[in-house]
Amino acid sequence: MEVQNFEQIFQQKIDTEIKIEPKDWMPDAYRKTNIRQISQHAHSEVVGMLPEGNWITRAPSLKRKAILLAKVQDEAGHGLYLYSAAETLGTSRDEMIEQLLTGKAKYSSIFNYPTLTWADMGAIGWLVDGAAILNQVMLCRTSYGPYARAMVRICKEESFHQRQGFEILLVLSKGTDEQKAMCQDAINRWWWPSLMMFGPKDSESTNSDLSMKWKIKRKSNDELRQNFIDMIAEQVKVLGMILPDPNLKWNEEKKHYDFGEINWDEFWSVVKGNGPCNKQRLEARKKAHQNGSWVREAALAYAEKRNKKQIKVA
Ligand code: BYC
């Protein structure tokens, strides 16, 4: 069969909503962009454990500590499902980790901001997980089978994460003046970086055209960002707080909220490695990798021992 036929069959499957599976023929660029996106997503989950992990020992009660611990463990699990999904495309976990640790691979810009107060745990759950869910609900229907299936379970856990974040802020918003101020301050600091999570404007999004054609993405960066703003602009009223954007205003004609200009210079600076915590985050991952080397060595030695035993028995 000609490559052209393979391409036609591939595109037909996409157009008729048949999932692409690991052993199916796929264009190199489809394989590459899935590896790129899924591995970036996996790295985001793993690096994303750091800003919240920072608060586990300082959570204000045993209950809060147990919830936060469970949430951070969930993120580790998400990273593992996603690394496995990327491996089905022919890349190895070692390669992906290497790319993260050497700074070659990207991960979400949002995790390069510091977590200064307990209210940040609420703002991350509500805004960061909230933004992630909107994006990830779309990804449950992405065209690559293993990625789509991983996302179904991830989304169930993320919706619990978002609710726990909102509840932290709800309690603070009904507390003392100091607690209210802490709540508002966290919202002020996390709002704009959360909007950047959806990626650059559609006009600057280099990967979107092909990703939409191949149904890896089904909604554009700007469309998802607008959905998020519309949702949060309503939810913030329940908290009795405000979003730090003087231009945020309901537009009756468009049936959407208008909003102010995002600082794209800040976004690209963070993506290029110059955000407030980029260096700290990579150092923490490198240290964890080094500290875990004995586990990898022990697992390899155990596997070799078992192989030898099996050869002897055979
Ligand atoms: N940060 O062409 P574009 C979580 C890059 S974790 C950094 O629009 P695309 C959680 C982009 O990679 C869940 N880089 O790209 C965990 C591209 O560069 P390359 C995180 C960004 O892929 C712990 C370039 O900019 N979610 O929930 O079509 C605790 C041009 O962009 C960012 C995911 O990872 C960014 N924000 O669309 C709490 C979702 N945005 O690769 C919570 C999976 C863009 O060409 N990813 N770039 O060098 C996606 O859905 C898509 O990759 C994006 C970007 C919508 C993010």
Side-chain angles (χ1 to χ4, degrees), residues 78-139:
H78 299 173
L80 298 184
Y81 316 150
L82 289 163
Y83 283 130
S84 298
E87 280 178 312
T88 64
L89 288 157
T91 182
S92 74
R93 192 165 310 196
D94 283 349
E95 269 175 276
M96 291 184 272
I97 303 284
E98 227 250 341
Q99 283 171 354
L100 171 67
L101 299 183
T102 54
K104 270 190 228 146
K106 292 193 171 75
Y107 57 87
S108 183
S109 48
I110 192 76
F111 302 115
N112 293 306
Y113 290 85
T115 42
L116 304 180
T117 70
W118 171 250
D120 288 17
M121 298 305 98
I124 290 184
W126 177 43
L127 298 175
V128 175
D129 288 272
I133 294 172
L134 278 187
N135 172 278
Q136 292 175 156
V137 164
M138 163 189 84
L139 290 173

Side-chain angles (χ1 to χ4, degrees), residues 36-37 40-41 44-45 48-49 52 71 75 106-111 124 128-129 132 135-136 138-139 147 158 196-200 204-208 211 217 221 267-268 271:
R36 175 190 67 78
Q37 181 169 323
Q40 283 176 8
H41 195 162
S44 303
E45 300 282 356
M49 293 161 72
E52 287 170 291
K71 178 186 189 290
E75 311 296 0
K106 292 193 171 75
Y107 57 87
S108 183
S109 48
I110 192 76
F111 302 115
I124 290 184
V128 175
D129 288 272
N135 172 278
Q136 292 175 156
M138 163 189 84
L139 290 173
Y147 192 19
E158 294 289 15
M196 297 174 195
M197 282 179 76
F198 295 95
E204 317 252 308
S205 167
T206 42
N207 299 294
S208 275
S211 289
K217 281 164 97 162
N221 298 0
F267 170 73
W268 290 115
V271 171

Side-chain angles (χ1 to χ4, degrees), residues 135-154:
N135 172 278
Q136 292 175 156
V137 164
M138 163 189 84
L139 290 173
C140 291
R141 295 193 303 123
T142 192
S143 58
Y144 186 56
Y147 192 19
R149 291 189 286 274
M151 291 321 303
V152 172
R153 178 154 173 199
I154 292 177

